[in-house]
Amino acid sequence: MSSLRNAVPRPAHKERSQPQARKKFGLLEKHKDYVIRAKAYHQKEDIKKKLKQKAAFKNPDEFYYKMINSKTVDGVHRPKEEVNKYSAEELMIMKTQDIGYVFQKWQSEKNKIDKLTASLQCTEDQPSRRHVYFAEDREEARELELQARSKSDVTTIAIPKDIKKKMDRSYRDLEARKSRAKDLEKLYMDMSMQKELQKKGRKRKLREDEILNPNGKPVYKWKADRKR
């Protein structure tokens, strides 16, 4: 019987629509829509209840430093900018650490440049090592000299393309590292000058006519203080 019941076509049950007299109120709200609306409503009511309790139990004499150290920008609390957050001694220590880091990177670049230059030295027709030969007499010294000249006169062998490409890449890397080392050296000198200017003692900036070899960089002179 169940199979026959399923064989009989059944009418499709449609959801009830809004009556004609209530069309001005929009679509008819279904149960699932009501559940969503009710949850949102009760959530808002709970938040309002908690805020009312906070306001009721608030101490009027309560004080936090954030009340004076922050300001509201577009409804968001943001802390004020702290101008003198660190003392002069702390600033000097931090600047010393920065200078040490820059100096370390500068030395690292210099060491890498030296290694790269030594590896590419043979391509510039410059011997990378000097061999010292010791002869017992003049004839042996003359023979050793002729052998050394014959080795230096040998024509250079053609370099393969892949090795030449690697050499070109190494030369580009060398130029980039030299530029980086130059920038780090300039930064280290500027930071060292700024650190010295922060130290105690009277100083003044020399004019161009007072400098022996002016190069466009500022030169300062400290007044000699008497040490006890």
Side-chain angles (χ1 to χ4, degrees), residues 43-61:
Q43 264 187 340
K44 292 175 184 176
E45 288 296 320
D46 292 341
I47 292 172
K48 286 165 66 175
K49 186 178 179 181
K50 288 180 182 178
L51 290 175
K52 284 180 181 179
Q53 287 180 353
K54 273 190 173 182
F57 291 110
K58 183 181 178 182
N59 182 7
D61 298 329

Side-chain angles (χ1 to χ4, degrees), residues 5-198:
R5 190 185 303 118
N6 292 334
V8 176
R10 298 174 185 177
H13 297 283
K14 297 180 180 179
E15 291 186 357
R16 179 170 170 249
S17 61
Q18 187 76 282
Q20 189 67 31
R22 295 177 57 83
K23 285 286 185 183
K24 59 182 179 181
F25 296 112
L27 297 173
L28 182 65
E29 185 181 40
K30 305 300 184 294
H31 178 71
K32 60 179 182 180
D33 302 327
Y34 163 74
V35 170
I36 295 172
R37 183 169 60 85
K39 282 184 179 178
Y41 172 77
H42 287 298
Q43 264 187 340
K44 292 175 184 176
E45 288 296 320
D46 292 341
I47 292 172
K48 286 165 66 175
K49 186 178 179 181
K50 288 180 182 178
L51 290 175
K52 284 180 181 179
Q53 287 180 353
K54 273 190 173 182
F57 291 110
K58 183 181 178 182
N59 182 7
D61 298 329
E62 191 174 8
F63 174 76
Y64 298 103
Y65 280 101
K66 286 287 184 182
M67 296 179 181
I68 58 175
N69 293 334
S70 62
K71 58 183 179 179
T72 307
V73 180
D74 298 331
V76 180
H77 285 279
R78 294 184 180 176
K80 292 182 180 178
E81 296 179 357
E82 299 179 357
V83 180
N84 298 322
K85 186 176 181 181
Y86 301 103
S87 62
E89 291 79 9
E90 291 173 340
L91 289 172
M92 185 68 70
I93 292 171
M94 287 190 288
K95 193 171 284 293
T96 304
Q97 292 174 348
D98 295 341
I99 292 173
Y101 175 75
V102 172
F103 181 75
Q104 180 185 359
K105 298 299 288 183
W106 177 34
Q107 292 297 323
S108 176
E109 287 294 331
K110 284 176 66 177
N111 293 335
K112 289 178 182 178
I113 288 170
D114 293 340
K115 288 182 180 178
L116 201 57
T117 305
S119 64
L120 294 172
Q121 197 172 15
C122 60
T123 60
E124 300 175 358
D125 295 331
Q126 294 179 0
S128 57
R129 294 192 182 96
R130 298 180 97 189
H131 294 276
V132 180
Y133 299 97
F134 297 93
E136 293 183 357
D137 51 9
R138 292 178 180 273
E139 293 181 0
E140 189 176 354
R142 195 176 297 109
E143 289 180 2
L144 291 173
E145 187 178 358
L146 291 174
Q147 290 179 5
R149 285 182 182 178
S150 63
K151 287 182 181 179
S152 62
D153 292 339
V154 175
T155 56
T156 57
I157 304 170
I159 303 173
K161 287 185 178 180
D162 54 343
I163 298 178
K164 192 173 182 181
K165 192 180 293 184
K166 289 181 181 179
M167 285 169 51
D168 294 340
R169 194 182 305 120
S170 300
Y171 275 113
R172 287 196 298 269
D173 186 22
L174 180 62
E175 293 299 324
R177 289 190 181 279
K178 284 182 178 180
S179 176
R180 197 178 304 127
K182 190 176 180 181
D183 295 339
L184 286 171
E185 182 182 5
K186 184 177 182 299
L187 180 62
Y188 172 72
M189 294 301 178
D190 294 341
M191 293 178 72
S192 301
M193 176 63 73
Q194 293 297 326
K195 180 186 173 184
E196 293 296 327
L197 291 175
Q198 284 184 348

